[in-house]
Amino acid sequence: MIREILSTSLFAFVCVVNSTAQRQFVFGTEKNPEGKTITVDSYGFKFDDSYVIPVMGEIHYSRVPEKDWQREIRKMKAGGITILSTYVFWNHHEAEEGKWDWSGNRNLRRFLEVCSEEGMPIVLRVGPFCHGEVYQGGFPTWIVRKASEDKDYKLRSNAPQFMRCTANLYNKIFAQVNGLLWKDGGPVVGMQIENECRGPWTYYAGLKSLALKAGFDLPFYTRTGWPKLNGKEVFGEMLPLYGDYADGFWDRKLTDMPGDYEKAFIMRDSRLSSVIATEALGTNQDTRMESQDMMYPYLTCELGGGMMPSYHRRINMSGKEAKPLAICKLGSGGNLPGYYMYHGGTNPYSDKHTMGETQSSDVTNYNDMPYMTYDFQSPLGEMGQMNETSFHECRFLHQMLSDWGGQLCTMRIDTMSAHYSRRGSFEFFNDYVRIKNEKGLSYVKPRNLKVGTAVIDWATAEPFCIASGVTYFIEIPGLKCKMSIDGKVMSPKLDKVFMVRGNSFCVLSRDNAKRLYKIDDELVCSKHDGIVFATDTGVVEEYWTESETYNAKPVVSRKVSDAKGLRTVKLGKQGVAAMPAEEDFRDGDVYKIEVGDIPDDAADDLFLKVCYKGDVARLYADGQLVQDNFWNGKPMLVRVSDIAGKSVELCVLPLSKDYPIYFQSEQRKEIDSAPNGVLSKLDKVSFLIRNVKRVK
């Protein structure tokens, strides 16, 4: 366990920064046609002159079916997300030079219209380089080829032809968003320029100039705060946003949590992470903060809501990781938890190459990723399925920020150590560390918090929300629930409302809290442990059930050919295990999958849960790749709407214990105990059914 106590001089410095006169940022129009304003100062965000702590969640519209956008945005809102962020991947829209595609899942304008209908602000991450584990970081092959032949096309530079092409990209994006900016009454409130770039600043300045010329007049502009810039920036032009991850598919070592991942789970003064993109930026990144950097508000855009498995590193996230990351950032002065990803997705299909990142491409971030799946093990997964632990634990925190974030935003750090921080009326604690201390706790508690006419001196319970005149708290696992209100110490009964000086309080058990959602000023209870959200016709609950059959017809899987043996796993050009090529799947275990006749109106809510063990699984429908999965101990999910009425084959490649691949201990035990150290098995294929029921 890392032990790190921050010096008194640090506290003094942080307090000086937070008490300094507010700095002027060089941003665009702050007011919309209704007179509502979004402004930013050195504390954070103001909405109509009131401080707020928004919660930002990443979802990629081009990785989610268009028909699902509205429902999935509503579910993100139910999870406490108040701002969306999304990449606009260049190669999803201009795969061939001059041929633009904004249709279907790529229909950015329609996605923004849905955001507007749902009252959901959005930040566009426009590149030109995006990363996002997409092929070539989002650069189309045609411009990569030109850059290799002509220095005037040099990528990520002020080279004239590259900037001309980027200007065209920005103009095309603006054509999709025109009329949907905040100043027009639309949802687009900000944009991120570039991604994970050292600069120079003249490159950033050139990109912002192109964006402004295109028409992007917005309340704020951002950049990723990492890596540290080469040279100085011009202060106030772009907000640096930061991040941290509990583990990374990009690391080269085949061990548990190598490098500095433990530091993501402590309170600290540096906003810079030393674990992001270590394969490209190195493991000894400079995390020292300059005084000018500390004049910006502390905002994040990439707190690991989960993590993808890469071919060489099969990370299996439990869901416990996301909340501690957010707790540590809030305790360190953060005023915008921003999750990457909050909602997973699926790459669009290409018959020319994978749409996922690969170490063999000309422009790469050096990792082999699945062709199709981008589930990310996030709070809402690839199909919109709920990761119960991360979804609820983060939701509790987000609801607290919704009701008390305005107060917290300007509260200074009074005390800080590695595992504890106090900001005004809130105490933050975390000693959870992924894998190394899975039994650790992570919570926020009140301290001298005024509620109505009473003061909560202290409590061993987490603030949750205020609804219908009752202030709700949630029990903290492992701590006996006690409260001191106006000097009176009590041990409240869980799930029972009690009164103190005319004020109503209730401490919820954690199980009951998972079923309660605040909608308007009322707590609504789920009946099936699902997600409750508002629709145009009322309040509904979405919950998922598993079944061996659908309409009394079972899903059938039968083996049609055995694997021809183990493939030889070679190291790719980046020095890690290379994923299998298409031809390798001709030699795997092959199964026929039959789902029977599924009505079109039912297929959208049906999924296959493929429980297998092996190296890699791929599922084909009429010969076209529909889904793939790098095994990390979790099942592969498949949309039945993608396979209904088609000839379906599943191919599983055997996995050898000798492959140079990282697996966590549970999966490693399964591999090592397999006959002859070779694992390849299809355990079960079943239906998952997405149910939606009205609850109010």
Side-chain angles (χ1 to χ4, degrees):
M1 184 68 64
I2 294 175
R3 301 298 301 177
E4 174 184 278
I5 304 298
L6 304 176
S7 66
T8 304
S9 62
L10 167 65
F11 303 145
F13 175 69
V14 172
C15 291
V16 167
V17 169
N18 283 342
S19 63
T20 302
Q22 307 304 294
R23 300 292 293 268
Q24 179 64 45
F25 299 126
V26 187
F27 299 151
T29 302
E30 301 168 343
K31 185 179 293 186
N32 75 1
E34 296 179 359
K36 299 182 181 298
T37 60
I38 294 176
T39 55
V40 189
D41 64 22
S42 60
Y43 285 114
F45 289 98
K46 283 184 177 180
F47 183 75
D48 285 349
D49 294 324
S50 296
Y51 283 106
V52 296
I53 296 184
V55 180
M56 188 161 67
E58 186 96 5
I59 179 175
H60 298 152
Y61 63 94
S62 57
R63 283 169 157 162
V64 176
E66 179 184 10
K67 60 182 172 55
D68 294 342
W69 287 342
Q70 186 173 58
R71 179 186 60 245
E72 299 310 307
I73 290 172
R74 287 171 172 174
K75 287 157 60 177
M76 292 178 74
K77 288 170 67 175
I81 299 300
T82 56
I83 299 180
L84 298 185
S85 56
T86 189
Y87 277 131
V88 182
F89 294 117
W90 193 349
N91 61 2
H92 284 194
H93 296 289
E94 195 190 12
E96 296 183 48
E97 186 175 8
K99 296 182 180 180
W100 291 86
D101 186 355
W102 300 98
S103 64
N105 300 355
R106 296 171 169 87
N107 192 340
L108 173 58
R109 185 169 190 85
R110 180 56 196 148
F111 180 73
L112 296 177
E113 288 172 345
V114 174
C115 291
S116 184
E117 293 164 9
E118 295 303 316
M120 180 65 85
I122 188 165
V123 174
L124 298 178
R125 307 176 80 183
V126 298
F129 176 78
C130 291
H131 194 194
E133 291 70 70
V134 71
Y135 185 65
Q136 298 184 145
F139 284 128
T141 298
W142 61 264
I143 199 169
V144 173
R145 184 184 67 253
K146 288 187 175 186
S148 69
E149 299 170 349
D150 187 342
K151 64 181 181 180
D152 282 348
Y153 283 90
K154 183 181 178 182
L155 303 179
R156 307 181 81 181
S157 78
N158 287 316
Q161 292 300 327
F162 176 72
M163 292 300 276
R164 177 187 63 80
C165 293
T166 301
N168 188 47
L169 168 68
Y170 284 6
N171 288 332
K172 293 293 186 180
I173 295 173
F174 185 75
Q176 298 296 309
V177 308
N178 193 11
L180 294 170
L181 306 184
W182 175 254
K183 70 173 186 176
D184 307 315
V188 183
V189 297
M191 67 183 298
Q192 176 186 298
I193 293 172
E194 251 290 345
N195 187 68
E196 298 180 331
C197 181
R198 293 187 184 276
W201 184 253
T202 53
Y203 174 52
Y204 273 113
L207 292 177
K208 184 177 179 183
S209 177
L210 293 180
L212 295 178
K213 187 175 180 180
F216 285 99
D217 178 4
L218 297 167
F220 59 92
Y221 308 90
T222 76
R223 65 175 179 86
T224 47
W226 72 93
K228 210 165 187 180
L229 293 178
N230 286 330
K232 295 292 184 181
E233 66 171 305
V234 175
F235 182 86
E237 292 283 340
M238 301 176 202
L239 297 169
L241 271 59
Y242 300 92
D244 236 335
Y245 287 94
D247 206 333
F249 61 76
W250 47 81
D251 264 293
R252 295 293 171 254
K253 294 183 179 179
L254 307 185
T255 56
D256 288 337
M257 288 183 63
D260 287 343
Y261 287 104
E262 282 188 65
K263 291 183 179 178
F265 295 104
I266 60 173
M267 320 291 174
R268 52 193 170 131
D269 60 326
S270 180
R271 304 173 183 184
L272 283 163
S273 171
S274 57
V275 301
I276 296 180
T278 54
E279 86 285 24
L281 304 175
T283 57
N284 296 312
Q285 298 174 46
D286 186 356
T287 60
R288 294 172 299 175
M289 300 296 297
E290 306 293 338
S291 59
Q292 180 171 275
D293 297 333
M294 299 294 282
M295 294 304 299
Y296 288 108
Y298 187 6
L299 313 173
T300 64
C301 62
E302 290 200 21
L303 296 181
M307 182 53 57
M308 277 298 295
S310 58
Y311 183 74
H312 73 280
R313 191 165 174 81
R314 308 294 180 87
I315 296 167
N316 185 322
M317 306 297 275
S318 69
K320 297 178 182 178
E321 306 87 357
K323 181 186 176 183
L325 291 177
I327 286 284
C328 289
K329 297 301 173 286
L330 289 166
S332 300
N335 281 337
L336 171 67
Y339 297 95
Y340 190 100
M341 298 288 292
Y342 189 83
H343 194 302
T346 309
N347 288 325
Y349 174 76
S350 170
D351 60 0
K352 295 181 174 61
H353 52 68
T354 173
M355 290 299 279
E357 177 184 322
T358 171
Q359 61 176 318
S360 64
S361 62
D362 293 328
V363 176
T364 178
N365 237 58
Y366 317 120
N367 303 284
D368 283 342
M369 307 300 293
Y371 272 48
M372 303 300 295
T373 182
Y374 195 65
D375 179 81
F376 219 86
Q377 303 178 80
S378 44
L380 291 174
E382 178 176 9
M383 312 297 174
Q385 75 277 18
M386 177 176 63
N387 181 325
E388 183 175 343
T389 301
S390 60
F391 182 83
H392 285 308
E393 290 299 320
C394 289
R395 179 173 70 89
F396 299 157
L397 182 63
H398 303 162
Q399 186 60 64
M400 185 278 286
L401 294 176
S402 177
D403 286 9
W404 284 282
Q407 298 176 49
L408 175 63
C409 190
T410 58
M411 289 178 174
R412 301 171 181 172
I413 299 174
D414 301 320
T415 311
M416 186 192 287
S417 65
H419 304 293
Y420 171 86
S421 173
R422 179 173 173 183
R423 289 180 64 185
S425 298
F426 299 91
E427 296 179 322
F428 298 89
F429 177 83
N430 178 66
D431 67 356
Y432 168 89
V433 181
R434 181 173 182 270
I435 294 179
K436 301 191 177 184
N437 187 21
E438 289 283 347
K439 294 183 179 180
L441 297 180
S442 186
Y443 54 76
V444 55
K445 296 192 300 187
R447 173 73 70 169
N448 299 328
L449 177 66
K450 185 172 177 59
V451 177
T453 59
V455 174
I456 301 175
D457 309 309
W458 55 265
T460 55
E462 293 191 278
F464 178 39
C465 70
I466 303 172
S468 302
V470 180
T471 301
Y472 289 91
F473 295 81
I474 302 175
E475 67 168 335
I476 298 173
L479 299 183
K480 186 175 181 180
C481 182
K482 288 190 175 184
M483 304 182 76
S484 174
I485 304 178
D486 288 343
K488 181 181 179 180
V489 178
M490 61 192 75
S491 298
K493 293 183 178 180
L494 297 181
D495 304 314
K496 301 292 184 182
V497 175
F498 61 95
M499 304 283 292
V500 177
R501 291 181 56 188
N503 303 279
S504 299
F505 300 94
C506 181
V507 179
L508 299 168
S509 65
R510 223 155 185 85
D511 286 341
N512 274 345
K514 289 178 181 178
R515 304 185 69 181
L516 294 172
Y517 291 77
K518 183 178 176 181
I519 297 180
D520 296 326
D521 188 44
E522 181 182 355
L523 286 186
V524 179
C525 184
S526 70
K527 298 177 181 178
H528 304 89
D529 296 329
I531 302 174
V532 174
F533 55 93
T535 70
D536 297 335
T537 58
V539 178
V540 303
E541 177 184 10
E542 176 185 301
Y543 62 98
W544 292 48
T545 53
E546 184 174 353
S547 176
E548 300 290 329
T549 63
Y550 179 74
N551 282 349
K553 294 182 179 180
V555 57
V556 176
S557 60
R558 54 188 176 86
K559 196 172 190 180
V560 295
S561 64
D562 292 326
K564 297 178 182 178
L566 287 171
R567 78 180 187 98
T568 300
V569 175
K570 298 179 181 179
L571 300 185
K573 68 179 184 180
Q574 301 302 333
V576 295
M579 67 180 174
E582 179 66 38
E583 54 268 23
D584 291 317
F585 288 90
R586 301 169 189 161
D587 298 332
D589 289 316
V590 178
Y591 302 83
K592 282 284 188 181
I593 307 292
E594 298 174 1
V595 297
D597 296 327
I598 305 292
D600 290 342
D601 59 351
D604 284 346
D605 293 317
L606 287 177
F607 307 85
L608 291 188
K609 180 180 178 181
V610 181
C611 297
Y612 80 100
K613 296 179 177 68
D615 184 16
V616 177
R618 281 190 177 182
L619 187 136
Y620 299 84
D622 286 349
Q624 179 177 308
L625 179 64
V626 168
Q627 185 63 296
D628 62 342
N629 181 273
F630 294 168
W631 184 71
N632 69 340
K634 292 182 177 177
M636 176 172 73
L637 301 189
V638 181
R639 293 181 178 89
V640 168
S641 59
D642 288 339
I643 64 173
K646 299 178 181 179
S647 174
V648 180
E649 283 191 344
L650 172 71
C651 181
V652 177
L653 293 183
L655 172 63
S656 168
K657 67 181 181 64
D658 297 324
Y659 284 175
I661 298 173
Y662 164 74
F663 287 94
Q664 290 175 209
S665 59
E666 297 87 346
Q667 288 73 54
R668 177 52 64 185
K669 288 176 183 176
E670 289 191 78
I671 301 167
D672 291 343
S673 62
N676 301 315
V678 177
L679 187 62
S680 183
K681 181 182 180 184
L682 178 61
D683 290 324
K684 184 176 71 169
V685 182
S686 57
F687 285 110
L688 287 179
I689 305 170
R690 179 170 54 204
N691 307 276
V692 178
K693 300 292 184 182
R694 186 184 177 99
V695 296
K696 182 183 175 186

